Amino acid sequence: MTPADLSLTVQHAVRRAVDDGALRVDVPSRVKVERARPGGTGDYASSVALGLARSAGRSALDVAGVLKERLKGAPGILAVDITGPGFLNFTLRRDAGGDLVRAIRTAGAAYGHGSALSGSVLRFAEVTESRAEVVTDVVLRLLRSQGADARFGGDERIHVRGGAYEPEVLGVDAARWSLLRAAPQDRALDGPPLLVQHERNPLFRVRYAHARVRRLLVNGTQLGITPSYETDLHAPDLLGVLGDHPVVLLSAARHRAPDRVARHLEATADALLAFQHTVLPLGDEKPSAAHRSRLALAEAAGTVLAGGLSLLGISAPDQI
């Protein structure tokens, strides 16, 4: 279960509570879930009960209890606990990693795309300033990825600090990253350092991480290892960033902030590069179910990297 799946599951629990008369509130358009903080329990937490308590005319603990009853037995959820003044804490099934990897494999590059903004009609003004043009192009892609009807032909504008788009100097990939990685109100990144093939270059790390996944898959084939998530893995950093990808895309679309996608791709690349050394057998080690599972997880990371780069209009090379 991904955070986006969990968010929808909780939202549906609120709707069921409203439908059967247990709560008298407006069903929120979305429910925020986040990783459990120190001192909490489980994997994720939500403050939705606190947000609904006032309009329900009940305590947050009462609202949380109502929702907990309707979340029992939900697919992917092992346990629901109530902590503090009414936080819902969720422990996911131990095979949640397998669910996540299978969801990414099924969706492919469209993993993280959804329908949360379905029904939204957004019309943007035509722009001529080069950075505004690049940023608006990606914002349109992000909005469409979440189901919105977004295109040019209106008055909405994205406020962007100016910056030169120089594909003839930097190449398309570095030129776009320099304009998109910084928040729209911040100065664009200096372009020449993005051409250096070094780990200090975040664009290089992201694209290199994707290339590493492609090489791992080739090497795995040579060793007779097929990616297949068969055993639970302890890879919280990598599983965490992959699970967060749908939430990041939706947030980036809502806030017109492509830089959130770029930062998330950096976090995904860093987690993958730290994990890559465990994927294939070393020395005389025999291929096992663990190696097949690790390769499947690496493949999922490569899919997320490729999908995110595509939304930014940047290529994902098979080799560097």
Side-chain angles (χ1 to χ4, degrees):
M1 171 175 281
T2 68
D5 293 332
L6 179 58
S7 174
L8 287 174
T9 298
V10 179
Q11 183 189 51
H12 293 161
V14 175
R15 181 172 289 112
R16 287 196 300 274
V18 170
D19 290 343
D20 61 26
L23 290 177
R24 291 180 176 236
V25 296
D26 292 330
V27 179
S29 59
R30 69 186 185 106
V31 172
K32 183 179 179 180
V33 298
E34 57 186 0
R35 298 214 192 147
R37 298 178 182 178
T41 62
D43 303 300
Y44 290 93
S46 175
S47 60
V48 61
L50 283 76
L52 296 175
R54 184 171 183 177
S55 58
R58 303 170 65 172
S59 72
L61 285 172
D62 285 344
V63 175
V66 170
L67 297 179
K68 178 178 178 178
E69 286 299 313
R70 285 156 182 79
L71 288 163
K72 285 182 177 177
I77 297 178
L78 180 63
V80 181
D81 297 298
I82 300 172
T83 60
F87 291 100
L88 288 168
N89 289 256
F90 307 96
T91 301
L92 304 184
R93 288 196 341 244
R94 284 192 58 79
D95 62 349
D99 290 343
L100 174 60
V101 170
R102 285 186 285 274
I104 295 173
R105 170 168 281 189
T106 298
Y111 169 67
H113 296 206
S115 58
L117 300 183
S118 180
S120 300
V121 178
L122 302 161
R123 297 291 180 264
F124 289 79
E126 297 281 353
V127 291
T128 56
E129 195 277 325
S130 57
R131 186 181 183 193
E133 188 175 7
V134 172
V135 172
T136 303
D137 167 65
V138 176
V139 167
L140 289 173
R141 297 182 191 208
L142 288 167
L143 288 166
R144 292 167 187 155
S145 79
Q146 303 305 310
D149 177 3
R151 65 185 77 169
F152 288 109
D155 298 322
E156 182 171 344
R157 291 179 179 273
I158 299 168
H159 298 289
V160 178
R161 186 169 178 174
Y165 177 53
E166 301 177 311
E168 67 282 355
V169 176
L170 303 173
V172 171
D173 294 329
R176 291 181 71 88
W177 185 271
S178 71
L179 301 181
L180 296 168
R181 172 58 179 83
Q185 69 273 15
D186 293 338
R187 184 174 63 85
L189 299 185
D190 186 19
L194 297 175
L195 299 177
V196 179
Q197 295 197 10
H198 192 280
E199 62 183 10
R200 290 194 299 270
N201 174 0
L203 174 59
F204 171 75
R205 289 203 311 277
V206 171
R207 299 174 78 238
Y208 174 70
H210 179 267
R212 282 297 303 143
V213 171
R214 302 312 304 172
R215 174 46 54 183
L216 286 170
L217 290 168
V218 170
N219 292 347
T221 298
Q222 294 171 347
L223 294 172
I225 301 174
T226 302
S228 176
Y229 201 99
E230 300 171 8
T231 183
D232 190 48
L233 299 176
H234 181 70
D237 291 341
L238 186 52
L239 287 167
V241 291
L242 297 183
D244 287 345
H245 187 65
V247 177
V248 171
L249 293 189
L250 178 57
S251 174
R254 288 185 185 277
H255 294 279
R256 319 297 198 250
D259 59 293
R260 298 188 181 201
V261 178
R263 290 198 303 273
H264 182 68
L265 293 178
E266 289 178 16
T268 302
D270 290 343
L272 181 279
L273 292 173
F275 174 78
Q276 62 163 327
H277 306 290
T278 70
V279 173
L280 298 178
L282 298 175
D284 295 332
E285 190 179 7
K286 301 296 184 184
S288 67
H291 295 114
R292 291 191 293 274
S293 298
R294 292 171 193 152
L295 188 58
L297 179 54
E299 181 185 47
T303 298
V304 167
L305 290 168
L309 286 170
S310 177
L311 282 171
L312 298 180
I314 296 173
S315 66
D318 285 350
Q319 59 182 359
I320 290 183

